[in-house]
Amino acid sequence: MKLIRYGIILKRLTINDIEMVRKARNSVRHLMDYKEYITPEMQLSWFKSIDNPHNFYYIINYQNEPVGVIHEKNTSLEPGIKYDDSEGGIFMFEEKYYSSPAPVFAALILIEKGFYIFGDTESVIHIISGNEKAIRFNKSLGYELCPGQENLMKQRYILTKAGFEHKTKKLRKAALKLARSENNFKWVLEKNDYSTGFGLKIEEIYSKAGLVFTKQNNGEKVCIINFPD
């Protein structure tokens, strides 16, 4: 499965990606809540636990190169419904990518998907206290620290639709211009999604949100959602 907007591609994590992600994740584990070294066996076990329609982990492809991972964890299968333990997160494979447009574009894609397509009322993330780079990044999108979190190591931040629009209206217009991208959201279900049954399940779930996927000559199914300018 792929999500395409702002000139980048978010491609759903597959088993072929997990060793690359494991090595990258270990290199930045000092910034994570879980700081232990991850072995190949641990990574495989983790992948099996998230390889389902409740969890969406995406490789961020920017300028034809995998540069990071962004995720939506413990998501509801019902449009507009959000679990208490649902949350998103992002990390980049190398330091240089944090100063590129890639993390901003990737975050915008998933937030817009939640607010404008699935009717979410909020987005929740957690940031390790002292990770100033992540705090600044997410505050620029409109996330705010929740009350009572100030003295915690793992702090909860929340984003409302109104807060997102207030903070990012100009940013989103600039992103479209920079990417020379049309103002639409392209969803692609690939042939391998259907070989595992995932594609049919996603079609069934997303049809409740009004999404219609059209079969292409290459066997993929595509849904394009045009946003108002």
Side-chain angles (χ1 to χ4, degrees):
M1 185 174 81
K2 296 184 289 188
L3 308 180
I4 304 171
R5 182 160 164 79
Y6 297 121
I8 70 169
I9 299 173
L10 303 186
K11 183 174 173 59
R12 186 171 178 264
L13 185 74
T14 70
I15 195 168
N16 295 326
D17 303 312
I18 64 174
E19 180 61 14
M20 171 184 66
V21 171
R22 182 186 74 87
K23 291 179 179 178
R25 172 64 173 74
N26 278 334
S27 71
V28 295
R29 65 184 187 273
H30 60 286
L31 298 175
M32 304 295 187
D33 180 39
Y34 183 81
K35 293 180 170 53
E36 300 302 318
Y37 182 83
I38 298 171
T39 66
E41 294 76 17
M42 293 163 65
Q43 184 78 343
L44 178 59
S45 178
W46 166 80
F47 177 75
K48 290 178 179 179
S49 74
I50 58 91
D51 187 25
N52 56 65
H54 288 282
N55 296 279
F56 294 89
Y57 284 74
Y58 303 94
I59 300 294
I60 304 169
N61 280 284
Y62 174 66
Q63 297 181 341
N64 298 316
E65 186 176 359
V67 300
V69 170
I70 190 168
H71 75 258
E72 302 167 296
K73 185 170 67 175
N74 299 327
T75 62
S76 168
L77 301 184
E78 298 295 328
I81 302 298
K82 198 170 187 68
Y83 297 146
D84 289 341
D85 59 350
S86 297
E87 67 170 356
I90 186 172
F91 79 93
M92 308 306 290
F93 292 165
E94 294 183 34
E95 186 75 18
K96 64 181 180 180
Y97 296 127
Y98 280 102
S99 59
S100 77
V104 175
F105 289 177
L108 289 176
I109 289 172
L110 293 193
I111 295 170
E112 289 176 330
K113 178 173 72 68
F115 285 149
Y116 300 133
I117 300 174
F118 289 105
D120 292 345
T121 59
E122 62 185 35
S123 172
V124 174
I125 60 171
H126 289 89
I127 305 175
I128 299 301
S129 175
N131 189 347
E132 296 300 329
K133 183 174 292 186
I135 292 170
R136 287 194 302 271
F137 172 79
N138 286 287
K139 282 187 173 181
S140 73
L141 299 174
Y143 283 94
E144 296 183 353
L145 183 65
C146 294
Q149 298 286 301
E150 293 81 3
N151 298 320
L152 299 180
M153 178 60 69
K154 185 178 181 181
Q155 297 175 327
R156 177 184 173 95
Y157 284 74
I158 193 166
L159 174 67
T160 64
K161 183 178 179 180
F164 173 69
E165 292 178 336
H166 174 70
K167 278 284 192 178
T168 65
K169 183 176 181 179
K170 292 181 180 180
L171 172 62
R172 286 180 285 133
K173 286 185 177 180
L176 286 171
K177 185 176 181 179
L178 178 63
R180 299 178 181 177
S181 173
E182 295 184 14
N183 193 14
N184 61 28
F185 194 107
K186 187 175 182 180
W187 227 303
V188 180
L189 291 174
E190 302 173 281
K191 288 192 292 185
N192 65 297
D193 291 321
Y194 290 95
S195 66
T196 62
F198 176 82
L200 287 176
K201 183 66 174 177
I202 288 300
E203 272 201 82
E204 177 187 345
I205 295 167
Y206 288 178
S207 66
K208 297 178 183 178
L211 275 66
V212 177
F213 288 86
T214 303
K215 191 169 184 178
Q216 309 297 299
N217 291 334
N218 61 3
E220 295 179 341
K221 287 190 176 183
V222 176
C223 174
I224 298 177
I225 300 169
N226 293 307
F227 287 172
D229 293 326

